């Protein structure tokens, strides 16, 4: 699985959009980009994933560059409850051991009132 | 659905003791996983299972054992607990394939003294 690089921390004002970047320059053509978050002391929570196209769901939007070497997770209107560590994970599409998630240290997003 | 449940929430063990961490999911997922998370770090895969009767090692299996006699349950056994096993343990489950997200339990905080 390709390695990802994320900034260790970011701040965002409440109500504003939070844009979390992720670099995955060694991504393979069949690898998905996943985003999870972990609110303090809780289990990780799935947010969104994508392969090539931009994706949007009720929680966030995922923008993947055309060369797929980087992506941005967008929380359109951040709230205090969005304060968490956000993990960007690249993963191959097969089952078994390659179905595992490789977590780095993520980005700590602090939403300020 | 309760999702993924884990018991106990907290446990303190003495060095050399043994215990079993319980994990149950009610989503009929084939895949189940055990991760550990040390302070300030991302999650690391201990063991995983692709179905009842099938288990395999992850990145950090030493000191642990698992079994999968049913689709719902995936207990993690610690034999001869050591201080290095002090961590938060998360169980997760998913459908097969990388396009399916993993659902995590609330975690078990284990301290070995």
């Amino acid at each position: 699985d390709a390695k990802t690089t994320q900034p260790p921390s970011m701040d965002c004002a409440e109500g504003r959009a939070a844009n979390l970047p992720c670099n995955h320059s060694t991504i393979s053509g069949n690898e998905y980009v996943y985003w999870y978050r972990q609110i303090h002391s809780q289990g990780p929570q799935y947010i969104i994933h994508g392969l090539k196209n931009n994706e949007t769901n009720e929680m966030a939007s995922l923008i993947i560059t055309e060369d797929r070497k980087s992506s941005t997770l967008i929380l359109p209107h951040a709230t205090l409850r969005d304060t968490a560590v956000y993990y960007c994970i690249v993963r191959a599409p097969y089952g078994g051991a390659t179905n595992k998630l490789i977590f780095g240290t993520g980005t700590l997003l602090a939403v300020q009132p | 659905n309760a999702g993924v449940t884990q018991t106990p929430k907290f446990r303190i063990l003495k060095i050399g003791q043994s215990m079993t961490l319980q994990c149950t999911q009610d989503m009929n997922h084939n895949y189940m996983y055990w991760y550990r998370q040390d302070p300030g770090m991302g999650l690391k895969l201990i063991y995983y299972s692709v179905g009842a009767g099938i288990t395999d090692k992850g990145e950090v299996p030493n000191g642990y054992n698992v079994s999968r006699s049913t689709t719902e349950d995936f207990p993690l056994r610690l034999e001869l607990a050591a201080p290095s096993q002090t961590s938060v343990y998360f169980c997760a489950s998913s459908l097969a394939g990388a396009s399916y997200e993993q659902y995590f339990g609330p975690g078990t905080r284990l301290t070995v003294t």
Side-chain angles (χ1 to χ4, degrees), chain A residues 9-108:
Chain A
S9 63
M10 293 181 64
D11 288 343
C12 177
E14 190 177 20
R16 303 297 294 269
N19 296 279
L20 291 90
C22 180
N23 183 289
H24 32 78
S25 58
T26 61
I27 192 170
S28 299
N30 62 351
E31 289 181 317
Y32 288 81
V33 179
Y34 273 75
W35 284 83
Y36 282 74
R37 73 179 182 184
Q38 188 174 23
I39 296 170
H40 183 61
S41 297
Q42 297 182 21
Q45 177 190 23
Y46 165 81
I47 301 173
I48 199 168
H49 74 280
L51 183 62
K52 294 180 181 177
N53 301 321
N54 298 337
E55 303 287 345
T56 296
N57 63 20
E58 65 278 5
M59 289 182 68
S61 295
L62 173 60
I63 309 297
I64 303 174
T65 58
E66 192 169 343
D67 63 7
R68 302 207 330 119
K69 293 184 177 182
S70 64
S71 61
T72 301
L73 178 74
I74 301 172
L75 307 178
H77 306 287
T79 71
L80 298 178
R81 288 177 294 180
D82 292 322
T83 291
V85 177
Y86 287 77
Y87 297 99
C88 169
I89 299 166
V90 170
R91 193 170 126 203
Y94 312 111
T98 54
N99 211 38
K100 69 176 185 278
L101 297 172
I102 299 177
F103 287 82
T105 52
T107 296
L108 173 59

Side-chain angles (χ1 to χ4, degrees), chain A residues 34 36 38 91-93 97 99 104, chain B residues 33 35 37 42 48 98-99 102:
Chain A
Y34 273 75
Y36 282 74
Q38 188 174 23
R91 193 170 126 203
N99 211 38
Chain B
Y33 315 81
Y35 293 88
Q37 185 174 33
Y48 67 98
S99 61
Q102 293 185 17

